[in-house]
Amino acid sequence: MEVSVIRNSQARICREELAYRVNKCCIGSEFISIKARNRISLYGETTRRNEIKKLCCSQRSIRCEAVVSDKAPFFKSTPRTRSLKGVRLFVGLPLNTVSDCNIVNHTKAIAAGLRALKLLGVEGVELPIFWGVAEKESPGNYRWSGYLAIAEMVKKMGLKLHVSLCFHGSKQPNIPLPDWVTRIGETKPGIYFTDRSGSQYKECLSFGVDDVPVLDGKTPMEVYRCFLESFKSEFSDYLGNTITGITIGLGPDGELRYPSYQTRKLSDGAGEFQCYDKHMLAALKHYAEANGNPLWGLSGPHDAPSYDQQPNSSAFFSDGGSWESEYGDFFLSWYSSLLVSHADRVLSLASSAFSGTGLPLCGKLPLLHQWHKLRSRPSELTAGFYCNGDHDRYEAFAETFAKSSCKMIMPGMDLSDEHQSLDSLSSPESLLAHIKTCCKKYGVVVSGQNSTVPILGGFERIIENLKDENTVIDLFTYQRMGALFFSPDHFHAFTEFVLNLSQFKLPEDDLRAEKEEDNGGGKTLTTSMQAA
Amino acid sequence: MSTVPIEPLLHHSHLRHNSRIYRVTRGFVPCSLNLRSHFTCNKLHSIGSTVGPGMSLGFRSSKHRRSVAIRASSSDTAVVETSQSDDVVFKEKFPVQRIEKAEGKMYVRMKQVKEKNWQMSVGCSLPGKWILHWGVSYVGDTGSEWDQPPEDMRPPDSIAIKDYAIETPLKKLSEGDSFYEVTINLNLESSVAALNFVLKDEETGAWYQHKGRDFKVPLLADVPDDGNLIGAKKGFGKWPGALGKLSNILLKADEPGAKVQEKSKSSSDSTKERKGLEEFYEEMPISKHVSDDNSVSVTARKCPETSKNIVTVETDLPGDVTVHWGVCKNGSKKWEIPAEPYPEETILFKKKALRTRLQRKDDGNGSFGSFSLDGKLEGLCFVLKLNENTWLNNRGEDFYVPFSISSGLPVETETAQASGNTPEAKQEVIDTAVTDEIITEIRNLAIDISSHKNQKTKVKEVQENILQEIEKLAAEAYSIFRSTTPTFSEASVLEAEADEPEIKISSGTGSGFEILCQGFNWESHKSGRWYMELKEKADELASLGFTVLWLPPPTESVSPEGYMPKDLYNLNSRYGTIDELKDTVRRFHDVGIKVLGDAVLNHRCAHFKNQNGVWNLFGGRLNWDDRAVVADDPHFQGRGNKSSGDNFHAAPNIDHSQDFVRKDIKEWLCWMREEIGYDGWRLDFVRGFWGGYVKDYVDASKPYFAVGEYWDSLSYTYGEMDYNQDAHRQRIVDWINATSGAAGAFDVTTKGILHVALQKCEYWRLSDPKGKPPGVVGYWPSRAVTFIENHDTGSTQGHWRFPGGKEMQGYAYILTHPGTPAVFFDHIFSDYRSEIASLLSLRNRKKLHCRSEVKIDKVERDVYAAIIDEKVAMKIGPGHYEPPSESKNWSLVVEGRDYKVWETS
């Protein structure tokens, strides 16, 4: 029905509208959504290819998943489980699941946890794979055994696995970058992000060295490529059946951003610019000279506040302050363009590495909701999100994701405005809504995550977000398994959350929907999947 | 090459009468893949011979020729079809374990060799590694403790076990003799009054006792009879079913006159002289379970010409084997009857399944059979039947043979074998598939509420079970993650992987709908026949709606109430004898009530003093020494480790960190489960030792329900109870966690808060800062056993009595709220009876359970009101409350002094 509308308005249909239609189609039942997407993509292929490109991509990713799930032997006979899986729920495994000596930590607990999750009806788990663990000793010397053991456990339990490839380190628990990278870092400190006072952020390489051969003659991008290839061949048995998705690390904590807070708490200030390492400064200088303002390229903004200062305490972020000046635009555009090109590089790399596996690729954005109510939104600026004037700061990123058919993971789906402290002028809800709209515009599929610490009222908020009719979120990853997760209080709440989730997907008295399904809805699904 | 692959080939040679056999079976024996497909029978034979003697190849072919000849002359099997190019779609060898009950007899013989030279012999006809574990009692000993016999009584190959027992192996007197025997020369000069023994089978670790106690052979007349004397014409309690088989002795086990009879026989003169000693020979049946490992090989092939599925089943199980089978269609595993024709020797069983007897193999080692089935079928389900009572299945599941290649199961049998892959790899995949299916099935049951509206209740129960299993797993994970030490062993990875596929739904926490009755008070021991008195009330308690009954501690005890246990294996107590106990348990089972035993594991009273005169040495069957006593209580000079909990100062506290102690306790609990029929435990004073040990005990004894008494003080400031009792309930929750959620705990917090709230009219205490119940029930409802009184707090002790006259408010609270409520005996048989009965019936009628949701609706100084699962509303306190009328119709069900309970109509 919806589809025919689209056909009629073939001639001039803007992307937003189309995306809106598509998303509206998805509401209610997954079957309908898949059918709808398939047909739209057909239309897209035959007519205006360019405009519909993103939709084709999302259709592709859907198709892959459908095929994957079809392989599991028990799905066919019990189509009802699918309705629960309208939102596929994953739970993150502990960050230190595999220790840096390549041993599985807490095996028994994880085994028990997996079993509990399976019984609960959770679709799968997310496994963070750290560069610093898998390629710890020397370049090209990969050790996957610990991670493979986990993949095997997950497979045996009949769960799915979403792998996050982490090119960053972690402070808590302590998982540094590979030893050999750390050794290089000692002699070439310029490979790390550096702030104005010269302190380095050693959990992630600077975006300035992406294409500079700093790692024993190789560029980080080349090293990442080898890492991905090795992963792909080692896990080939699991790709597509147990492993149903891959998240690629884009920066600090896997998120696409500058480490503008380094290790400080987010609530203190707006963060600092991280452009003071050798390579970034050189790039800035070069850019300034090319723009005919060589003096602007000598350093970063002099009037930005420090970490623990209020954003308004100095001139840069205040209304009418430097950020709105010509210099501000110059600097921030450059700073942000580096972030965009980093995203582009890594995502293209990953999408080419995994092309042919049919696995959906994901990347994570931060939810920089602090100081959102200030006009300058300084947290976004220090983290690298900027666009000249009133333009959308997230558009460039959504476009980049769309280009590589990458899904966007949005954290903080459990945050609600009412629980934020008034002083921080924050608004996670409106920011999230904004980014979701932006993604929709570019046909980027959004997946959800919560923030890392459980929040009061978080589960209710997550449900609201998942119910949101404007953006269909088909995958939610709950972070993360561990002592807190299994503590009686929290686990009880989580259990309730899972049950609620399945309930709202399966309304008890919606007999009509049930009939529809019985009347061969399942069959249509199978055939359309095979056709696709 | 092993000889294992012989069988498939042999078996096929029965079925096929021409040389095509070689092609058909090539999938089975990898190494001969090429030979079979290219060589004729004769050539194969010659090659076989040249390969060398002992190789099974040559052997096989000659055997094959012979069987061809035999079969050629016999009649054809109607439904078996042959084919030139069968494709194997499924091949699997399932291990099956056959538990065989070997029955035999044992005897005890007293014989006079010469004057003053007597011998006692114990013999056993069953094969095994039999050990006589024995000791003596001396004249003047009381109780059931053992002593070591005098040196000259010990047979030469005896080993002394600690200071109290001797172990002597039983031996065959001569080769070919069917009996194992041991003979003890009795020293009648010594003051030995009786011989005590149990028989132990070292192979299985099983102990064989007499009427649940030691065997006791009296050498004197006045040996006290605790019901276990032998040579006294008494029967065995353990094998009541087999008693009738014995013809040579009288077996009147439960006859009250037995004792008299014994006296008149063995020592009519009742003096201490040995004159009364008489020769006797007594035989008893004995049985032991022996497990045999066999296997069932199943091969399914698709025959392209006839498009039929041909399934061959063969096994090395001895005796007649019947396949009880059905076929599967449409993706379900429902058994259906296929269209005829059926294989030979097939009968239809109750229109539900087919039974086909397998043909015996010629060599007598097992049987085989073949089934030809329609190609459209999806699979074959079967179980094996050996005899009326013995069925074998595939680790708890039906054997399932899938036919369709598209079913997702790997079917490249041939390639797998050719490349040398082990069959285990395939087994794994199938296991996973099966596991997945089980889990999915379970989950569907649980989630799929809308399609089973009429079965809602059942679904709900399954859901409960799953939630419970989930909680248990989460608790286990929690306790490991919390103790931040990671495990650094590869072995544990493997172990965890190995046991993963089993999803079993059993836990020590019942169904979730349990209601407990404490079946005794502090005075119950006084009548001496409490079990019998309680038994009479079984119907009454069942009709009131109780599902679980908690019985008093059953062991011999220094104090009459039973909480100072001495000999754990002596279950004759002031509440009644072991037989009365069993009888009572049986009676309650008949009316559908599960029974909990009160297990006192923290402490145990000693039998003997050590050299310093301190009582810390134990006797009886668990004759522990002072290593079983914790080291940190100076009163008892234990040599064990420090206590893992608080100490109870009136008796030696048991050191549960000792492996031998734990092993003995586990054995004891399992024995009580089996012997008495207890369904679970109420665990006394669990503050005294680490909850992890409780987990160990619960895991070993697999109770249906277990609850621990973790009673410590709530927090007070200047004599006033604090509003926030989170620390108190956290301690209880921590203990539950230490047991990995295997046991629940009494909700002492809720009782304490109710005390103050009711007594001082401070009903605001009944909501915690988060708006939940303030007791354990607000934290972990499914593990909280709520109560308002027990034998310690109330009864004639009254250590912490519930505010008088306000008991019904307490019951209105716990019987409507989540958690598992426990009702005290005294309250049931009091004026409150009818009010309690209405509340119980409401709880059952409205299906309130341990995880019901509470919504606290009003909480003020003088009134507390809550709505539970949106179907029951309650208020306690003098203040006014009416349930909100807009959404539902509430009708008042029970009303009493300062409380009201409504239900939705």
Side-chain angles (χ1 to χ4, degrees), chain A residues 152 155-156, chain B residues 92 395 409-410 422-435 497 501:
Chain A
E152 188 58 28
K155 178 183 175 180
K156 280 194 177 165
Chain B
E92 187 63 64
R395 297 180 212 165
L409 289 163
T422 52
E424 281 93 293
K426 198 148 50 69
Q427 175 82 43
E428 254 169 35
V429 180
I430 291 163
D431 281 353
T432 320
V434 171
T435 316
E497 280 174 4

PDB file of all heavy atoms in Angstrom, chain A residues 152 155-156, chain B residues 92 395 409-410 422-435 497 501:
ATOM      1  N   GLU A 152      33.242 -19.655  20.139  1.00  0.00           N
ATOM      2  CA  GLU A 152      32.769 -21.039  20.161  1.00  0.00           C
ATOM      3  C   GLU A 152      31.713 -21.225  21.264  1.00  0.00           C
ATOM      4  O   GLU A 152      30.704 -21.877  21.076  1.00  0.00           O
ATOM      5  CB  GLU A 152      33.971 -21.967  20.384  1.00  0.00           C
ATOM      6  CG  GLU A 152      33.661 -23.448  20.250  1.00  0.00           C
ATOM      7  CD  GLU A 152      33.081 -23.827  18.883  1.00  0.00           C
ATOM      8  OE1 GLU A 152      33.397 -23.137  17.890  1.00  0.00           O
ATOM      9  OE2 GLU A 152      32.310 -24.808  18.823  1.00  0.00           O
ATOM     10  N   LYS A 155      28.552 -19.713  20.124  1.00  0.00           N
ATOM     11  CA  LYS A 155      27.934 -20.520  19.075  1.00  0.00           C
ATOM     12  C   LYS A 155      27.221 -21.718  19.702  1.00  0.00           C
ATOM     13  O   LYS A 155      26.086 -22.032  19.359  1.00  0.00           O
ATOM     14  CB  LYS A 155      29.029 -20.984  18.125  1.00  0.00           C
ATOM     15  CG  LYS A 155      28.530 -21.876  17.005  1.00  0.00           C
ATOM     16  CD  LYS A 155      29.705 -22.325  16.164  1.00  0.00           C
ATOM     17  CE  LYS A 155      29.278 -23.309  15.098  1.00  0.00           C
ATOM     18  NZ  LYS A 155      30.416 -23.734  14.285  1.00  0.00           N
ATOM     19  N   LYS A 156      27.933 -22.362  20.628  1.00  0.00           N
ATOM     20  CA  LYS A 156      27.332 -23.545  21.243  1.00  0.00           C
ATOM     21  C   LYS A 156      26.077 -23.212  22.008  1.00  0.00           C
ATOM     22  O   LYS A 156      25.184 -24.030  22.146  1.00  0.00           O
ATOM     23  CB  LYS A 156      28.337 -24.192  22.192  1.00  0.00           C
ATOM     24  CG  LYS A 156      29.333 -25.036  21.454  1.00  0.00           C
ATOM     25  CD  LYS A 156      30.075 -25.902  22.433  1.00  0.00           C
ATOM     26  CE  LYS A 156      31.028 -26.811  21.721  1.00  0.00           C
ATOM     27  NZ  LYS A 156      31.983 -27.390  22.665  1.00  0.00           N
TER      28      LYS A 156
ATOM     29  N   GLU B  92      24.941 -41.709  12.554  1.00  0.00           N
ATOM     30  CA  GLU B  92      25.294 -41.291  13.891  1.00  0.00           C
ATOM     31  C   GLU B  92      25.407 -42.516  14.778  1.00  0.00           C
ATOM     32  O   GLU B  92      24.643 -43.477  14.644  1.00  0.00           O
ATOM     33  CB  GLU B  92      24.181 -40.376  14.422  1.00  0.00           C
ATOM     34  CG  GLU B  92      24.502 -39.738  15.725  1.00  0.00           C
ATOM     35  CD  GLU B  92      25.691 -38.824  15.624  1.00  0.00           C
ATOM     36  OE1 GLU B  92      25.616 -37.821  14.900  1.00  0.00           O
ATOM     37  OE2 GLU B  92      26.720 -39.136  16.239  1.00  0.00           O
ATOM     38  N   ARG B 395      20.151 -39.342  25.907  1.00  0.00           N
ATOM     39  CA  ARG B 395      20.400 -38.351  26.959  1.00  0.00           C
ATOM     40  C   ARG B 395      19.164 -37.537  27.292  1.00  0.00           C
ATOM     41  O   ARG B 395      19.141 -36.324  27.228  1.00  0.00           O
ATOM     42  CB  ARG B 395      21.513 -37.381  26.547  1.00  0.00           C
ATOM     43  CG  ARG B 395      22.817 -38.084  26.346  1.00  0.00           C
ATOM     44  CD  ARG B 395      23.846 -37.093  25.941  1.00  0.00           C
ATOM     45  NE  ARG B 395      24.816 -37.688  25.074  1.00  0.00           N
ATOM     46  CZ  ARG B 395      25.671 -37.009  24.338  1.00  0.00           C
ATOM     47  NH1 ARG B 395      25.660 -35.715  24.372  1.00  0.00           N
ATOM     48  NH2 ARG B 395      26.525 -37.615  23.583  1.00  0.00           N
ATOM     49  N   LEU B 409      21.090 -29.513   9.243  1.00  0.00           N
ATOM     50  CA  LEU B 409      22.070 -30.386   9.862  1.00  0.00           C
ATOM     51  C   LEU B 409      23.108 -30.763   8.818  1.00  0.00           C
ATOM     52  O   LEU B 409      22.787 -30.929   7.650  1.00  0.00           O
ATOM     53  CB  LEU B 409      21.384 -31.650  10.375  1.00  0.00           C
ATOM     54  CG  LEU B 409      20.505 -31.418  11.587  1.00  0.00           C
ATOM     55  CD1 LEU B 409      19.565 -32.572  11.773  1.00  0.00           C
ATOM     56  CD2 LEU B 409      21.366 -31.228  12.813  1.00  0.00           C
ATOM     57  N   PRO B 410      24.304 -30.883   9.234  1.00  0.00           N
ATOM     58  CA  PRO B 410      25.330 -31.230   8.267  1.00  0.00           C
ATOM     59  C   PRO B 410      25.135 -32.665   7.797  1.00  0.00           C
ATOM     60  O   PRO B 410      24.873 -33.552   8.577  1.00  0.00           O
ATOM     61  CB  PRO B 410      26.624 -31.080   9.052  1.00  0.00           C
ATOM     62  CG  PRO B 410      26.231 -31.276  10.455  1.00  0.00           C
ATOM     63  CD  PRO B 410      24.814 -30.836  10.591  1.00  0.00           C
ATOM     64  N   THR B 422      36.827 -36.600  12.843  1.00  0.00           N
ATOM     65  CA  THR B 422      36.268 -37.496  13.839  1.00  0.00           C
ATOM     66  C   THR B 422      34.763 -37.281  13.922  1.00  0.00           C
ATOM     67  O   THR B 422      34.272 -36.200  13.655  1.00  0.00           O
ATOM     68  CB  THR B 422      36.878 -37.205  15.213  1.00  0.00           C
ATOM     69  OG1 THR B 422      36.724 -35.808  15.439  1.00  0.00           O
ATOM     70  CG2 THR B 422      38.324 -37.570  15.255  1.00  0.00           C
ATOM     71  N   PRO B 423      34.055 -38.295  14.311  1.00  0.00           N
ATOM     72  CA  PRO B 423      32.600 -38.158  14.420  1.00  0.00           C
ATOM     73  C   PRO B 423      32.190 -37.144  15.479  1.00  0.00           C
ATOM     74  O   PRO B 423      31.126 -36.583  15.410  1.00  0.00           O
ATOM     75  CB  PRO B 423      32.124 -39.554  14.814  1.00  0.00           C
ATOM     76  CG  PRO B 423      33.293 -40.436  14.777  1.00  0.00           C
ATOM     77  CD  PRO B 423      34.511 -39.628  14.602  1.00  0.00           C
ATOM     78  N   GLU B 424      33.071 -36.880  16.424  1.00  0.00           N
ATOM     79  CA  GLU B 424      32.685 -35.966  17.506  1.00  0.00           C
ATOM     80  C   GLU B 424      32.314 -34.601  16.970  1.00  0.00           C
ATOM     81  O   GLU B 424      31.436 -33.946  17.450  1.00  0.00           O
ATOM     82  CB  GLU B 424      33.823 -35.782  18.530  1.00  0.00           C
ATOM     83  CG  GLU B 424      33.963 -36.901  19.495  1.00  0.00           C
ATOM     84  CD  GLU B 424      34.967 -37.918  19.006  1.00  0.00           C
ATOM     85  OE1 GLU B 424      34.698 -38.589  18.002  1.00  0.00           O
ATOM     86  OE2 GLU B 424      36.023 -38.036  19.606  1.00  0.00           O
ATOM     87  N   ALA B 425      33.038 -34.186  15.930  1.00  0.00           N
ATOM     88  CA  ALA B 425      32.769 -32.865  15.380  1.00  0.00           C
ATOM     89  C   ALA B 425      31.308 -32.767  14.969  1.00  0.00           C
ATOM     90  O   ALA B 425      30.646 -31.777  15.231  1.00  0.00           O
ATOM     91  CB  ALA B 425      33.657 -32.611  14.180  1.00  0.00           C
ATOM     92  N   LYS B 426      30.842 -33.829  14.378  1.00  0.00           N
ATOM     93  CA  LYS B 426      29.472 -33.822  13.912  1.00  0.00           C
ATOM     94  C   LYS B 426      28.503 -33.873  15.084  1.00  0.00           C
ATOM     95  O   LYS B 426      27.517 -33.187  15.122  1.00  0.00           O
ATOM     96  CB  LYS B 426      29.284 -35.046  13.021  1.00  0.00           C
ATOM     97  CG  LYS B 426      28.099 -34.975  12.130  1.00  0.00           C
ATOM     98  CD  LYS B 426      28.385 -35.713  10.833  1.00  0.00           C
ATOM     99  CE  LYS B 426      28.939 -37.085  11.030  1.00  0.00           C
ATOM    100  NZ  LYS B 426      27.999 -38.043  11.586  1.00  0.00           N
ATOM    101  N   GLN B 427      28.878 -34.689  16.026  1.00  0.00           N
ATOM    102  CA  GLN B 427      28.059 -34.832  17.222  1.00  0.00           C
ATOM    103  C   GLN B 427      27.789 -33.462  17.832  1.00  0.00           C
ATOM    104  O   GLN B 427      26.683 -33.142  18.213  1.00  0.00           O
ATOM    105  CB  GLN B 427      28.797 -35.717  18.224  1.00  0.00           C
ATOM    106  CG  GLN B 427      28.108 -35.842  19.565  1.00  0.00           C
ATOM    107  CD  GLN B 427      27.008 -36.871  19.528  1.00  0.00           C
ATOM    108  OE1 GLN B 427      27.172 -37.932  18.969  1.00  0.00           O
ATOM    109  NE2 GLN B 427      25.871 -36.543  20.098  1.00  0.00           N
ATOM    110  N   GLU B 428      28.830 -32.673  17.849  1.00  0.00           N
ATOM    111  CA  GLU B 428      28.717 -31.358  18.462  1.00  0.00           C
ATOM    112  C   GLU B 428      27.652 -30.527  17.786  1.00  0.00           C
ATOM    113  O   GLU B 428      26.814 -29.933  18.417  1.00  0.00           O
ATOM    114  CB  GLU B 428      30.038 -30.614  18.314  1.00  0.00           C
ATOM    115  CG  GLU B 428      30.832 -30.529  19.580  1.00  0.00           C
ATOM    116  CD  GLU B 428      32.223 -30.027  19.286  1.00  0.00           C
ATOM    117  OE1 GLU B 428      32.371 -29.186  18.376  1.00  0.00           O
ATOM    118  OE2 GLU B 428      33.134 -30.495  19.935  1.00  0.00           O
ATOM    119  N   VAL B 429      27.724 -30.509  16.464  1.00  0.00           N
ATOM    120  CA  VAL B 429      26.777 -29.685  15.731  1.00  0.00           C
ATOM    121  C   VAL B 429      25.362 -30.130  16.027  1.00  0.00           C
ATOM    122  O   VAL B 429      24.479 -29.322  16.270  1.00  0.00           O
ATOM    123  CB  VAL B 429      27.060 -29.798  14.226  1.00  0.00           C
ATOM    124  CG1 VAL B 429      26.080 -28.940  13.461  1.00  0.00           C
ATOM    125  CG2 VAL B 429      28.485 -29.388  13.947  1.00  0.00           C
ATOM    126  N   ILE B 430      25.184 -31.427  16.039  1.00  0.00           N
ATOM    127  CA  ILE B 430      23.837 -31.929  16.278  1.00  0.00           C
ATOM    128  C   ILE B 430      23.384 -31.554  17.675  1.00  0.00           C
ATOM    129  O   ILE B 430      22.281 -31.090  17.880  1.00  0.00           O
ATOM    130  CB  ILE B 430      23.795 -33.447  16.054  1.00  0.00           C
ATOM    131  CG1 ILE B 430      23.982 -33.703  14.584  1.00  0.00           C
ATOM    132  CG2 ILE B 430      22.472 -34.012  16.531  1.00  0.00           C
ATOM    133  CD1 ILE B 430      24.350 -35.087  14.236  1.00  0.00           C
ATOM    134  N   ASP B 431      24.305 -31.697  18.604  1.00  0.00           N
ATOM    135  CA  ASP B 431      23.960 -31.313  19.975  1.00  0.00           C
ATOM    136  C   ASP B 431      23.494 -29.881  20.029  1.00  0.00           C
ATOM    137  O   ASP B 431      22.513 -29.560  20.680  1.00  0.00           O
ATOM    138  CB  ASP B 431      25.171 -31.477  20.899  1.00  0.00           C
ATOM    139  CG  ASP B 431      25.347 -32.922  21.282  1.00  0.00           C
ATOM    140  OD1 ASP B 431      24.456 -33.725  20.943  1.00  0.00           O
ATOM    141  OD2 ASP B 431      26.352 -33.231  21.895  1.00  0.00           O
ATOM    142  N   THR B 432      24.224 -29.024  19.351  1.00  0.00           N
ATOM    143  CA  THR B 432      23.852 -27.622  19.398  1.00  0.00           C
ATOM    144  C   THR B 432      22.455 -27.430  18.839  1.00  0.00           C
ATOM    145  O   THR B 432      21.638 -26.737  19.404  1.00  0.00           O
ATOM    146  CB  THR B 432      24.831 -26.788  18.557  1.00  0.00           C
ATOM    147  OG1 THR B 432      26.117 -27.296  18.769  1.00  0.00           O
ATOM    148  CG2 THR B 432      24.756 -25.353  18.943  1.00  0.00           C
ATOM    149  N   ALA B 433      22.237 -28.102  17.732  1.00  0.00           N
ATOM    150  CA  ALA B 433      20.922 -27.952  17.124  1.00  0.00           C
ATOM    151  C   ALA B 433      19.839 -28.406  18.089  1.00  0.00           C
ATOM    152  O   ALA B 433      18.832 -27.739  18.270  1.00  0.00           O
ATOM    153  CB  ALA B 433      20.856 -28.766  15.843  1.00  0.00           C
ATOM    154  N   VAL B 434      20.121 -29.526  18.723  1.00  0.00           N
ATOM    155  CA  VAL B 434      19.136 -30.039  19.662  1.00  0.00           C
ATOM    156  C   VAL B 434      18.937 -29.062  20.807  1.00  0.00           C
ATOM    157  O   VAL B 434      17.826 -28.723  21.182  1.00  0.00           O
ATOM    158  CB  VAL B 434      19.573 -31.417  20.191  1.00  0.00           C
ATOM    159  CG1 VAL B 434      18.681 -31.851  21.327  1.00  0.00           C
ATOM    160  CG2 VAL B 434      19.507 -32.430  19.064  1.00  0.00           C
ATOM    161  N   THR B 435      20.059 -28.570  21.347  1.00  0.00           N
ATOM    162  CA  THR B 435      19.971 -27.612  22.436  1.00  0.00           C
ATOM    163  C   THR B 435      19.151 -26.408  22.021  1.00  0.00           C
ATOM    164  O   THR B 435      18.255 -25.975  22.726  1.00  0.00           O
ATOM    165  CB  THR B 435      21.365 -27.114  22.833  1.00  0.00           C
ATOM    166  OG1 THR B 435      22.218 -28.220  22.873  1.00  0.00           O
ATOM    167  CG2 THR B 435      21.319 -26.413  24.153  1.00  0.00           C
ATOM    168  N   GLU B 497      32.750 -25.442  28.523  1.00  0.00           N
ATOM    169  CA  GLU B 497      32.178 -25.753  27.218  1.00  0.00           C
ATOM    170  C   GLU B 497      31.468 -27.088  27.251  1.00  0.00           C
ATOM    171  O   GLU B 497      30.440 -27.263  26.649  1.00  0.00           O
ATOM    172  CB  GLU B 497      33.289 -25.797  26.164  1.00  0.00           C
ATOM    173  CG  GLU B 497      33.674 -24.419  25.707  1.00  0.00           C
ATOM    174  CD  GLU B 497      34.856 -24.458  24.793  1.00  0.00           C
ATOM    175  OE1 GLU B 497      35.319 -25.563  24.453  1.00  0.00           O
ATOM    176  OE2 GLU B 497      35.317 -23.390  24.424  1.00  0.00           O
ATOM    177  N   PRO B 501      25.688 -27.604  26.968  1.00  0.00           N
ATOM    178  CA  PRO B 501      24.430 -27.950  26.303  1.00  0.00           C
ATOM    179  C   PRO B 501      23.291 -28.367  27.235  1.00  0.00           C
ATOM    180  O   PRO B 501      22.157 -28.322  26.840  1.00  0.00           O
ATOM    181  CB  PRO B 501      24.811 -29.119  25.395  1.00  0.00           C
ATOM    182  CG  PRO B 501      26.268 -28.986  25.204  1.00  0.00           C
ATOM    183  CD  PRO B 501      26.772 -28.424  26.481  1.00  0.00           C
TER     184      PRO B 501
END
